[in-house]
Amino acid sequence: MNVGSFFEGKKGYGVLATADGQGKVDAAIYATPHVIDEHTVSFIMRDRLSHHNLQSNPHAAYLFIEEGGGYKGVRLFLTKLR
């Protein structure tokens, strides 16, 4: 799958799931990521719980659900680089 072309022109909803260093889970609604290249995406984050969780646990999952009928979308497993 080409991540960059997948998000082009798509409408839908994104959910970013994170956990803190002790494993307490959080999920938040997020826009589509900014695609840097085939292996790198970025998100604009405010200094809230998701951002805080990523300081102690660099792993996250992003689920994008396309608008319309059926179950279409993508799931990305992420690791924070910086």
Side-chain angles (χ1 to χ4, degrees):
M1 174 182 75
N2 184 321
V3 176
S5 64
F6 175 83
F7 289 109
E8 288 178 9
K10 295 272 188 345
K11 292 187 178 186
Y13 303 93
V15 178
L16 182 68
T18 61
D20 67 13
Q22 283 70 49
K24 290 174 65 178
V25 178
D26 175 60
I29 302 295
Y30 268 78
T32 57
H34 298 274
V35 178
I36 307 302
D37 60 40
E38 190 58 29
H39 302 286
T40 311
V41 296
S42 67
F43 292 90
I44 296 173
M45 298 183 149
R46 297 187 67 153
D47 190 16
R48 296 195 176 168
L49 189 55
S50 295
H51 184 266
H52 174 75
N53 286 349
L54 289 168
Q55 305 313 302
S56 59
N57 180 354
H59 303 287
Y62 177 76
L63 174 68
F64 179 78
I65 304 161
E66 289 183 51
E67 283 185 354
Y71 298 98
K72 292 190 288 183
V74 68
R75 179 177 49 194
L76 303 177
F77 295 97
L78 308 170
T79 302
K80 181 183 105 171
L81 298 176
R82 56 184 175 275

